[in-house]
Amino acid sequence: MKPMEEMRKNFERQRGVTVDVHYGSSGEIFGMVAAGQPCDVLIPGAAKYTMDALKNGWVEKETIRNLVLHLPAIAVPKGNPAKIDGLEDLARKGVRVSIGDPKAPAIGRVSKKLLEKTQLWEKVQPNINVYAPTVNQLLIYVALNQVDAAIIWKDLTSWAEAKGKIEVVDIDPDKNIIKTIPTAVCTRTQHRERALQFNNYVASAEGLSIWKKWGFEPCAE
């Protein structure tokens, strides 16, 4: 939401048009497109949804642009009191952990898959104090020192709510599950010229600088 709101305002000011952005989970947005609701540009949280939309003929292949990476990371309270250095430490006795609900936010599903991939799910489960309904709630738990660690999207650590209150522990890239955020123009758009312009803008040098400002890592195209 943070980078998109900034880009939306810039585009509206530069082009003299109104951009209506619907924010929601990738699954919710995909379902809306599937149901035929109007959509000019699709920007889900993972490339899987764009590829599925392409298979169904809902987006134009030549307009697909990979934007940035969605990186899971471990957030810890300032000072890292539990001395968390990696995923394995989440299984240590007495460590208070929070993850997203695997049945709700995308970070919950990714967190479970990540811990299963590293054969840590069963070991970490006894330490999970709370399954958060949203990724924003995870950030609050860590900032208020209510848990020792939480798996969140790394870009959230740039938010004002986290400033001076949390630290980030990167996950080993060989163990991590990294998502790619793409953009694409929808085939059913009734504003194709403007849709192409917005699609290009969010992938432009100016757009990518805004993504970076809010903690996202641009893709190497």
Side-chain angles (χ1 to χ4, degrees):
M1 286 177 62
K2 303 282 187 176
M4 188 55 58
E5 276 302 292
E6 185 170 339
M7 288 185 285
R8 177 186 66 79
K9 292 175 182 177
N10 287 351
F11 190 82
E12 288 183 335
R13 184 176 63 254
Q14 294 170 10
R15 301 285 180 171
V17 297
T18 298
V19 180
D20 180 20
V21 182
H22 176 87
Y23 295 105
S25 69
S26 296
E28 176 194 352
I29 294 168
F30 185 83
M32 291 174 62
V33 175
Q37 294 195 33
C39 180
D40 300 305
V41 178
L42 177 66
I43 309 179
K48 172 189 180 299
Y49 294 96
T50 300
M51 292 301 101
D52 287 346
L54 179 63
K55 290 176 185 176
N56 290 324
W58 300 337
V59 297
E60 299 180 8
K61 183 177 181 179
E62 64 275 13
T63 66
I64 297 175
R65 303 279 300 276
N66 288 330
L67 299 171
V68 291
L69 302 178
H70 223 181
L71 290 163
I74 302 170
V76 299
K78 185 174 176 60
N80 194 2
K83 307 301 179 187
I84 304 296
D85 292 320
L87 288 172
E88 294 78 7
D89 292 323
L90 303 184
R92 280 203 332 254
K93 186 176 181 180
V95 173
R96 301 170 301 161
V97 177
S98 180
I99 69 169
D101 184 344
K103 296 180 180 179
I107 190 63
R109 296 190 295 277
V110 170
S111 297
K112 183 179 180 182
K113 289 180 180 178
L114 187 54
L115 293 170
E116 289 175 337
K117 174 185 176 182
T118 52
Q119 300 181 338
L120 289 168
W121 175 243
E122 292 185 359
K123 298 176 182 177
V124 172
Q125 269 189 294
N127 288 348
I128 298 176
N129 286 17
V130 58
Y131 292 92
T134 68
V135 70
N136 300 40
Q137 193 64 46
L138 290 171
L139 189 65
I140 293 171
Y141 290 145
V142 178
L144 295 180
N145 205 11
Q146 293 178 345
V147 296
D148 298 310
I151 300 176
I152 67 172
W153 298 120
K154 189 173 181 179
D155 54 274
L156 264 72
T157 63
S158 68
W159 289 22
E161 294 88 336
K163 191 173 182 180
K165 300 175 184 177
I166 73 169
E167 296 179 11
V168 181
V169 177
D170 289 324
I171 298 172
D172 184 338
D174 292 332
K175 299 177 180 178
N176 211 344
I177 298 177
I178 300 172
K179 301 292 184 179
T180 299
I181 298 177
T183 184
V185 173
C186 296
T187 55
R188 300 170 185 163
T189 179
Q190 296 181 6
H191 313 93
R192 190 170 187 278
E193 182 180 351
R194 289 298 190 197
L196 280 169
Q197 290 172 351
F198 187 78
N199 196 65
N200 291 335
Y201 175 68
V202 298
S204 68
E206 181 180 339
L208 290 176
S209 70
I210 295 172
W211 287 105
K212 288 176 68 176
K213 170 185 173 182
W214 291 105
F216 287 91
E217 181 179 327
C219 294
E221 296 243 41

